[in-house]
Amino acid sequence: MAGKPKLHYTKGRGKMESIRWLLAAAGVEFEEEFIETKEDLEKLRNDGVLLFQQVPMVEIDGMKMVQTRAILSYIAAKYNLYGKDLKERAWIDMYVEGTTDLMGMIMYLPFQPADTKEKNLALIIERATTRYFPVYEKALKDHGQDYLVGNKLSWADVHVLEAILMVEECKPDALSAFPLLQAFKGRISNIPTIKKFLQPGSQRKPPTDEKFVAVVRKIFNI
């Protein structure tokens, strides 16, 4: 019996949060080893366990995996969240890549200078409501199923829900013009494994605040 996956990252969301989400949705328990100082990161680098000297790093199935996309693809395939054939996988990849672009904008917002934050926040809301959410709303309408791809939960559903909640943290009524996405959010949030992850006390991390930004800048010299 293999041990639980072990996640190596800082004590915040960042690029690891989507990995936490996907493992939680798959019902997989995981451990976390937090990088809290520059020395913690240097130790991992010096031990030779970071293929490109970067985190996130996940120990799983005897591998020390790096590169967020590679880790997520592996977890999705391993736990049957990656569609039933190549076409479904292609759709999942397209939805995930689009969502990742949107989430990246939100992820970097707290690290930006105050004078550009407001402008970038407005851009995030604009992109979410005119470029990304309409795509998912139309997909649900055309597909006519409870899920975005096929007729079962996939990585795309988990990723889109994570993105929706991130956008709503920026603008609570961001879904007001998207009734199918509102219903989708309710459905996916109530899947037992995801519902558990959304409860207080889970391994889900809070939104990035100034204190955490300072810690990250120190660890990564930025």
Side-chain angles (χ1 to χ4, degrees):
M1 175 76 184
K4 294 175 186 174
K6 186 185 277 190
L7 282 48
H8 296 263
Y9 201 66
T10 54
K11 214 178 217 166
R13 287 185 181 176
K15 291 189 171 185
M16 187 64 93
E17 192 69 358
S18 292
I19 296 167
R20 295 183 187 111
W21 264 89
L22 197 56
L23 285 167
V28 179
E29 289 185 13
F30 57 87
E31 295 170 355
E32 299 192 78
E33 195 157 301
F34 295 115
I35 297 166
E36 301 191 65
T37 63
K38 200 153 63 172
E39 290 70 34
D40 291 343
L41 180 62
E42 281 310 309
K43 186 180 183 313
L44 283 175
R45 285 175 172 163
N46 294 334
D47 288 349
V49 297
L50 302 179
L51 197 60
F52 301 110
Q53 309 291 308
Q54 294 168 311
V55 288
M57 190 268 278
V58 174
E59 294 184 61
I60 185 168
D61 295 342
M63 294 184 287
K64 290 180 169 65
M65 289 195 76
V66 295
Q67 296 298 322
T68 312
R69 170 79 208 197
I71 297 165
L72 286 164
S73 300
Y74 183 82
I75 293 165
K78 180 178 168 79
Y79 295 105
N80 203 20
L81 293 166
Y82 212 173
K84 69 175 190 305
D85 56 30
L86 272 175
K87 273 193 177 173
E88 285 196 358
R89 187 166 289 201
W91 278 107
I92 290 166
D93 283 340
M94 284 192 280
Y95 291 145
V96 163
E97 288 294 327
T99 315
T100 301
D101 291 342
L102 175 61
M103 286 154 85
M105 293 170 74
I106 299 171
M107 203 183 296
Y108 294 117
L109 192 66
F111 293 88
Q112 290 165 356
D115 57 344
T116 61
K117 253 186 207 171
E118 206 166 310
K119 189 180 79 177
N120 286 324
L121 179 60
L123 180 64
I124 286 165
I125 303 306
E126 191 259 330
R127 285 274 168 87
T129 53
T130 64
R131 181 178 292 187
Y132 295 103
F133 289 173
V135 169
Y136 307 126
E137 183 79 4
K138 184 177 185 303
L140 289 164
K141 183 173 186 286
D142 294 350
H143 188 43
Q145 304 287 359
D146 286 350
Y147 305 101
L148 283 163
V149 179
N151 195 19
K152 65 193 284 286
L153 183 71
S154 77
W155 174 19
D157 301 306
V158 179
H159 215 56
V160 169
L161 176 62
E162 183 189 358
I164 286 170
L165 297 182
M166 285 173 80
V167 173
E168 286 184 334
E169 285 170 353
C170 300
K171 189 177 192 289
D173 65 347
L175 280 187
S176 58
F178 304 100
L180 297 180
L181 268 183
Q182 289 174 40
F184 170 86
K185 175 191 155 188
R187 278 196 306 277
I188 307 300
S189 298
N190 275 305
I191 290 168
T193 51
I194 294 175
K195 191 173 184 176
K196 186 179 171 189
F197 187 62
L198 291 171
Q199 300 301 312
S202 80
Q203 285 164 294
R204 186 181 180 213
K205 302 297 178 268
T208 299
D209 59 15
E210 281 176 25
K211 193 176 159 192
F212 181 66
V213 168
V215 170
V216 169
R217 286 194 191 283
K218 217 169 182 176
I219 295 171
F220 294 100
N221 267 340
I222 51 175

